[in-house]
PDB file of all heavy atoms in Angstrom:
ATOM      1  N   VAL A   1       0.839  -1.202   0.000  1.00 93.00           N
ATOM      2  CA  VAL A   1       0.000   0.000   0.000  1.00 93.00           C
ATOM      3  C   VAL A   1       0.871   1.248   0.000  1.00 93.00           C
ATOM      4  O   VAL A   1       0.575   2.237  -0.678  1.00 93.00           O
ATOM      5  CB  VAL A   1      -0.950  -0.020   1.208  1.00 93.00           C
ATOM      6  CG1 VAL A   1      -1.772   1.270   1.262  1.00 93.00           C
ATOM      7  CG2 VAL A   1      -1.869  -1.231   1.161  1.00 93.00           C
ATOM      8  N   GLN A   2       1.958   1.223   0.774  1.00 93.00           N
ATOM      9  CA  GLN A   2       2.875   2.363   0.797  1.00 93.00           C
ATOM     10  C   GLN A   2       3.427   2.651  -0.598  1.00 93.00           C
ATOM     11  O   GLN A   2       3.533   3.813  -1.012  1.00 93.00           O
ATOM     12  CB  GLN A   2       4.020   2.081   1.773  1.00 93.00           C
ATOM     13  CG  GLN A   2       5.130   3.112   1.766  1.00 93.00           C
ATOM     14  CD  GLN A   2       4.678   4.474   2.272  1.00 93.00           C
ATOM     15  OE1 GLN A   2       4.752   4.764   3.452  1.00 93.00           O
ATOM     16  NE2 GLN A   2       4.194   5.331   1.384  1.00 93.00           N
ATOM     17  N   ASP A   3       3.766   1.619  -1.337  1.00 93.00           N
ATOM     18  CA  ASP A   3       4.302   1.805  -2.689  1.00 93.00           C
ATOM     19  C   ASP A   3       3.283   2.473  -3.608  1.00 93.00           C
ATOM     20  O   ASP A   3       3.654   3.253  -4.502  1.00 93.00           O
ATOM     21  CB  ASP A   3       4.720   0.457  -3.271  1.00 93.00           C
ATOM     22  CG  ASP A   3       5.922  -0.143  -2.552  1.00 93.00           C
ATOM     23  OD1 ASP A   3       6.650   0.621  -1.894  1.00 93.00           O
ATOM     24  OD2 ASP A   3       6.115  -1.374  -2.626  1.00 93.00           O
ATOM     25  N   ARG A   4       2.004   2.189  -3.382  1.00 92.00           N
ATOM     26  CA  ARG A   4       0.966   2.761  -4.250  1.00 92.00           C
ATOM     27  C   ARG A   4       0.568   4.171  -3.825  1.00 92.00           C
ATOM     28  O   ARG A   4      -0.113   4.874  -4.578  1.00 92.00           O
ATOM     29  CB  ARG A   4      -0.273   1.852  -4.245  1.00 92.00           C
ATOM     30  CG  ARG A   4      -0.021   0.480  -4.841  1.00 92.00           C
ATOM     31  CD  ARG A   4      -1.328  -0.239  -5.164  1.00 92.00           C
ATOM     32  NE  ARG A   4      -2.162  -0.466  -4.002  1.00 92.00           N
ATOM     33  CZ  ARG A   4      -2.055  -1.534  -3.201  1.00 92.00           C
ATOM     34  NH1 ARG A   4      -1.135  -2.460  -3.446  1.00 92.00           N
ATOM     35  NH2 ARG A   4      -2.873  -1.688  -2.178  1.00 92.00           N
ATOM     36  N   HIS A   5       0.968   4.588  -2.621  1.00 92.00           N
ATOM     37  CA  HIS A   5       0.585   5.926  -2.120  1.00 92.00           C
ATOM     38  C   HIS A   5       1.827   6.643  -1.584  1.00 92.00           C
ATOM     39  O   HIS A   5       1.968   6.876  -0.376  1.00 92.00           O
ATOM     40  CB  HIS A   5      -0.470   5.804  -1.028  1.00 92.00           C
ATOM     41  CG  HIS A   5      -1.761   5.216  -1.480  1.00 92.00           C
ATOM     42  ND1 HIS A   5      -2.774   5.959  -2.045  1.00 92.00           N
ATOM     43  CD2 HIS A   5      -2.207   3.921  -1.483  1.00 92.00           C
ATOM     44  CE1 HIS A   5      -3.790   5.177  -2.358  1.00 92.00           C
ATOM     45  NE2 HIS A   5      -3.469   3.927  -2.031  1.00 92.00           N
ATOM     46  N   PRO A   6       2.742   7.024  -2.446  1.00 91.00           N
ATOM     47  CA  PRO A   6       3.986   7.666  -1.979  1.00 91.00           C
ATOM     48  C   PRO A   6       3.757   9.030  -1.331  1.00 91.00           C
ATOM     49  O   PRO A   6       4.619   9.515  -0.602  1.00 91.00           O
ATOM     50  CB  PRO A   6       4.814   7.795  -3.264  1.00 91.00           C
ATOM     51  CG  PRO A   6       3.814   7.786  -4.373  1.00 91.00           C
ATOM     52  CD  PRO A   6       2.698   6.892  -3.911  1.00 91.00           C
ATOM     53  N   GLU A   7       2.596   9.661  -1.617  1.00 91.00           N
ATOM     54  CA  GLU A   7       2.331  10.969  -1.024  1.00 91.00           C
ATOM     55  C   GLU A   7       1.953  10.865   0.459  1.00 91.00           C
ATOM     56  O   GLU A   7       1.881  11.884   1.161  1.00 91.00           O
ATOM     57  CB  GLU A   7       1.214  11.674  -1.802  1.00 91.00           C
ATOM     58  CG  GLU A   7      -0.183  11.086  -1.600  1.00 91.00           C
ATOM     59  CD  GLU A   7      -0.431   9.823  -2.421  1.00 91.00           C
ATOM     60  OE1 GLU A   7       0.519   9.372  -3.125  1.00 91.00           O
ATOM     61  OE2 GLU A   7      -1.554   9.302  -2.379  1.00 91.00           O
ATOM     62  N   LEU A   8       1.708   9.648   0.933  1.00 92.00           N
ATOM     63  CA  LEU A   8       1.338   9.414   2.330  1.00 92.00           C
ATOM     64  C   LEU A   8       2.382   8.516   2.999  1.00 92.00           C
ATOM     65  O   LEU A   8       3.129   7.788   2.337  1.00 92.00           O
ATOM     66  CB  LEU A   8      -0.036   8.749   2.429  1.00 92.00           C
ATOM     67  CG  LEU A   8      -1.232   9.556   1.946  1.00 92.00           C
ATOM     68  CD1 LEU A   8      -2.474   8.680   1.888  1.00 92.00           C
ATOM     69  CD2 LEU A   8      -1.466  10.759   2.860  1.00 92.00           C
ATOM     70  N   ARG A   9       2.420   8.578   4.294  1.00 93.00           N
ATOM     71  CA  ARG A   9       3.260   7.674   5.084  1.00 93.00           C
ATOM     72  C   ARG A   9       2.366   6.550   5.587  1.00 93.00           C
ATOM     73  O   ARG A   9       1.456   6.783   6.385  1.00 93.00           O
ATOM     74  CB  ARG A   9       3.893   8.423   6.256  1.00 93.00           C
ATOM     75  CG  ARG A   9       4.823   7.589   7.114  1.00 93.00           C
ATOM     76  CD  ARG A   9       5.451   8.437   8.217  1.00 93.00           C
ATOM     77  NE  ARG A   9       6.420   7.687   8.993  1.00 93.00           N
ATOM     78  CZ  ARG A   9       7.136   8.189   9.991  1.00 93.00           C
ATOM     79  NH1 ARG A   9       6.980   9.479  10.313  1.00 93.00           N
ATOM     80  NH2 ARG A   9       7.990   7.445  10.653  1.00 93.00           N
ATOM     81  N   VAL A  10       2.617   5.337   5.128  1.00 93.00           N
ATOM     82  CA  VAL A  10       1.801   4.179   5.498  1.00 93.00           C
ATOM     83  C   VAL A  10       2.740   3.131   6.099  1.00 93.00           C
ATOM     84  O   VAL A  10       3.495   2.481   5.383  1.00 93.00           O
ATOM     85  CB  VAL A  10       1.046   3.599   4.279  1.00 93.00           C
ATOM     86  CG1 VAL A  10       0.149   2.450   4.713  1.00 93.00           C
ATOM     87  CG2 VAL A  10       0.236   4.692   3.583  1.00 93.00           C
ATOM     88  N   GLU A  11       2.710   2.984   7.423  1.00 92.00           N
ATOM     89  CA  GLU A  11       3.646   2.098   8.114  1.00 92.00           C
ATOM     90  C   GLU A  11       2.941   1.351   9.232  1.00 92.00           C
ATOM     91  O   GLU A  11       2.015   1.875   9.858  1.00 92.00           O
ATOM     92  CB  GLU A  11       4.825   2.898   8.687  1.00 92.00           C
ATOM     93  CG  GLU A  11       5.653   3.612   7.625  1.00 92.00           C
ATOM     94  CD  GLU A  11       6.667   4.554   8.223  1.00 92.00           C
ATOM     95  OE1 GLU A  11       6.670   4.723   9.463  1.00 92.00           O
ATOM     96  OE2 GLU A  11       7.458   5.141   7.465  1.00 92.00           O
ATOM     97  N   GLN A  12       3.411   0.132   9.489  1.00 91.00           N
ATOM     98  CA  GLN A  12       2.788  -0.737  10.492  1.00 91.00           C
ATOM     99  C   GLN A  12       3.683  -0.864  11.719  1.00 91.00           C
ATOM    100  O   GLN A  12       4.907  -0.900  11.633  1.00 91.00           O
ATOM    101  CB  GLN A  12       2.536  -2.126   9.893  1.00 91.00           C
ATOM    102  CG  GLN A  12       1.877  -3.106  10.860  1.00 91.00           C
ATOM    103  CD  GLN A  12       1.616  -4.450  10.224  1.00 91.00           C
ATOM    104  OE1 GLN A  12       1.596  -4.569   8.994  1.00 91.00           O
ATOM    105  NE2 GLN A  12       1.424  -5.483  11.036  1.00 91.00           N
ATOM    106  N   ALA A  13       3.053  -0.958  12.893  1.00 88.00           N
ATOM    107  CA  ALA A  13       3.760  -1.198  14.150  1.00 88.00           C
ATOM    108  C   ALA A  13       2.811  -1.924  15.090  1.00 88.00           C
ATOM    109  O   ALA A  13       1.593  -1.875  14.928  1.00 88.00           O
ATOM    110  CB  ALA A  13       4.240   0.108  14.772  1.00 88.00           C
ATOM    111  N   GLY A  14       3.377  -2.584  16.067  1.00 86.00           N
ATOM    112  CA  GLY A  14       2.558  -3.315  17.020  1.00 86.00           C
ATOM    113  C   GLY A  14       3.365  -4.393  17.713  1.00 86.00           C
ATOM    114  O   GLY A  14       4.572  -4.547  17.490  1.00 86.00           O
ATOM    115  N   ALA A  15       2.699  -5.158  18.564  1.00 83.00           N
ATOM    116  CA  ALA A  15       3.385  -6.177  19.361  1.00 83.00           C
ATOM    117  C   ALA A  15       4.017  -7.248  18.493  1.00 83.00           C
ATOM    118  O   ALA A  15       5.178  -7.636  18.692  1.00 83.00           O
ATOM    119  CB  ALA A  15       2.397  -6.803  20.347  1.00 83.00           C
ATOM    120  N   ALA A  16       3.279  -7.759  17.511  1.00 86.00           N
ATOM    121  CA  ALA A  16       3.798  -8.839  16.666  1.00 86.00           C
ATOM    122  C   ALA A  16       4.886  -8.342  15.729  1.00 86.00           C
ATOM    123  O   ALA A  16       5.913  -9.012  15.529  1.00 86.00           O
ATOM    124  CB  ALA A  16       2.662  -9.464  15.863  1.00 86.00           C
ATOM    125  N   SER A  17       4.701  -7.165  15.150  1.00 86.00           N
ATOM    126  CA  SER A  17       5.676  -6.669  14.182  1.00 86.00           C
ATOM    127  C   SER A  17       6.989  -6.279  14.847  1.00 86.00           C
ATOM    128  O   SER A  17       8.068  -6.514  14.280  1.00 86.00           O
ATOM    129  CB  SER A  17       5.101  -5.480  13.411  1.00 86.00           C
ATOM    130  OG  SER A  17       4.620  -4.488  14.290  1.00 86.00           O
ATOM    131  N   ILE A  18       6.928  -5.710  16.042  1.00 82.00           N
ATOM    132  CA  ILE A  18       8.188  -5.354  16.703  1.00 82.00           C
ATOM    133  C   ILE A  18       8.925  -6.601  17.154  1.00 82.00           C
ATOM    134  O   ILE A  18      10.157  -6.662  17.146  1.00 82.00           O
ATOM    135  CB  ILE A  18       7.957  -4.384  17.883  1.00 82.00           C
ATOM    136  CG1 ILE A  18       9.284  -3.725  18.261  1.00 82.00           C
ATOM    137  CG2 ILE A  18       7.353  -5.101  19.085  1.00 82.00           C
ATOM    138  CD1 ILE A  18       9.146  -2.579  19.222  1.00 82.00           C
ATOM    139  N   GLN A  19       8.165  -7.634  17.528  1.00 80.00           N
ATOM    140  CA  GLN A  19       8.811  -8.893  17.877  1.00 80.00           C
ATOM    141  C   GLN A  19       9.449  -9.526  16.641  1.00 80.00           C
ATOM    142  O   GLN A  19      10.534 -10.113  16.718  1.00 80.00           O
ATOM    143  CB  GLN A  19       7.791  -9.858  18.490  1.00 80.00           C
ATOM    144  CG  GLN A  19       8.342 -11.224  18.880  1.00 80.00           C
ATOM    145  CD  GLN A  19       9.396 -11.141  19.959  1.00 80.00           C
ATOM    146  OE1 GLN A  19       9.401 -10.203  20.748  1.00 80.00           O
ATOM    147  NE2 GLN A  19      10.299 -12.103  19.980  1.00 80.00           N
ATOM    148  N   ARG A  20       8.807  -9.371  15.509  1.00 80.00           N
ATOM    149  CA  ARG A  20       9.315  -9.940  14.266  1.00 80.00           C
ATOM    150  C   ARG A  20      10.551  -9.199  13.760  1.00 80.00           C
ATOM    151  O   ARG A  20      11.559  -9.817  13.399  1.00 80.00           O
ATOM    152  CB  ARG A  20       8.218  -9.889  13.196  1.00 80.00           C
ATOM    153  CG  ARG A  20       8.636 -10.339  11.811  1.00 80.00           C
ATOM    154  CD  ARG A  20       8.847 -11.830  11.754  1.00 80.00           C
ATOM    155  NE  ARG A  20       9.198 -12.276  10.418  1.00 80.00           N
ATOM    156  CZ  ARG A  20       9.458 -13.536  10.109  1.00 80.00           C
ATOM    157  NH1 ARG A  20       9.396 -14.459  11.061  1.00 80.00           N
ATOM    158  NH2 ARG A  20       9.768 -13.881   8.883  1.00 80.00           N
ATOM    159  N   LEU A  21      10.483  -7.862  13.764  1.00 73.00           N
ATOM    160  CA  LEU A  21      11.543  -7.069  13.161  1.00 73.00           C
ATOM    161  C   LEU A  21      12.665  -6.753  14.148  1.00 73.00           C
ATOM    162  O   LEU A  21      13.837  -7.013  13.872  1.00 73.00           O
ATOM    163  CB  LEU A  21      10.958  -5.770  12.595  1.00 73.00           C
ATOM    164  CG  LEU A  21       9.906  -5.947  11.498  1.00 73.00           C
ATOM    165  CD1 LEU A  21       9.348  -4.596  11.088  1.00 73.00           C
ATOM    166  CD2 LEU A  21      10.504  -6.650  10.293  1.00 73.00           C
ATOM    167  N   ALA A  22      12.295  -6.201  15.295  1.00 69.00           N
ATOM    168  CA  ALA A  22      13.316  -5.793  16.257  1.00 69.00           C
ATOM    169  C   ALA A  22      13.738  -6.948  17.148  1.00 69.00           C
ATOM    170  O   ALA A  22      14.910  -7.069  17.505  1.00 69.00           O
ATOM    171  CB  ALA A  22      12.789  -4.641  17.110  1.00 69.00           C
ATOM    172  N   GLY A  23      12.779  -7.813  17.522  1.00 70.00           N
ATOM    173  CA  GLY A  23      13.118  -8.927  18.399  1.00 70.00           C
ATOM    174  C   GLY A  23      14.148  -9.841  17.786  1.00 70.00           C
ATOM    175  O   GLY A  23      15.073 -10.304  18.452  1.00 70.00           O
ATOM    176  N   VAL A  24      14.014 -10.094  16.495  1.00 73.00           N
ATOM    177  CA  VAL A  24      14.991 -10.938  15.803  1.00 73.00           C
ATOM    178  C   VAL A  24      16.364 -10.275  15.823  1.00 73.00           C
ATOM    179  O   VAL A  24      17.394 -10.925  16.058  1.00 73.00           O
ATOM    180  CB  VAL A  24      14.535 -11.205  14.355  1.00 73.00           C
ATOM    181  CG1 VAL A  24      15.640 -11.877  13.566  1.00 73.00           C
ATOM    182  CG2 VAL A  24      13.274 -12.054  14.342  1.00 73.00           C
ATOM    183  N   ALA A  25      16.395  -8.964  15.590  1.00 71.00           N
ATOM    184  CA  ALA A  25      17.673  -8.246  15.583  1.00 71.00           C
ATOM    185  C   ALA A  25      18.337  -8.284  16.951  1.00 71.00           C
ATOM    186  O   ALA A  25      19.556  -8.468  17.062  1.00 71.00           O
ATOM    187  CB  ALA A  25      17.447  -6.800  15.143  1.00 71.00           C
ATOM    188  N   VAL A  26      17.549  -8.114  18.007  1.00 73.00           N
ATOM    189  CA  VAL A  26      18.106  -8.145  19.359  1.00 73.00           C
ATOM    190  C   VAL A  26      18.626  -9.537  19.688  1.00 73.00           C
ATOM    191  O   VAL A  26      19.700  -9.700  20.289  1.00 73.00           O
ATOM    192  CB  VAL A  26      17.046  -7.691  20.383  1.00 73.00           C
ATOM    193  CG1 VAL A  26      17.539  -7.921  21.807  1.00 73.00           C
ATOM    194  CG2 VAL A  26      16.700  -6.221  20.169  1.00 73.00           C
TER     195      VAL A  26
END
């Protein structure tokens, strides 16, 4: 969706996504 709407900021965050993205890095 972000790719189709470059004029807007469309980003996801939450318990599952931070565990997926940041938790793996930590």
Side-chain angles (χ1 to χ4, degrees):
V1 177
Q2 173 66 90
D3 292 340
R4 296 195 299 273
H5 297 274
E7 72 281 2
L8 295 170
R9 182 178 184 178
V10 183
E11 298 171 355
Q12 180 179 341
S17 53
I18 197 169
Q19 179 63 26
R20 175 72 178 179
L21 299 176
V24 171
V26 171

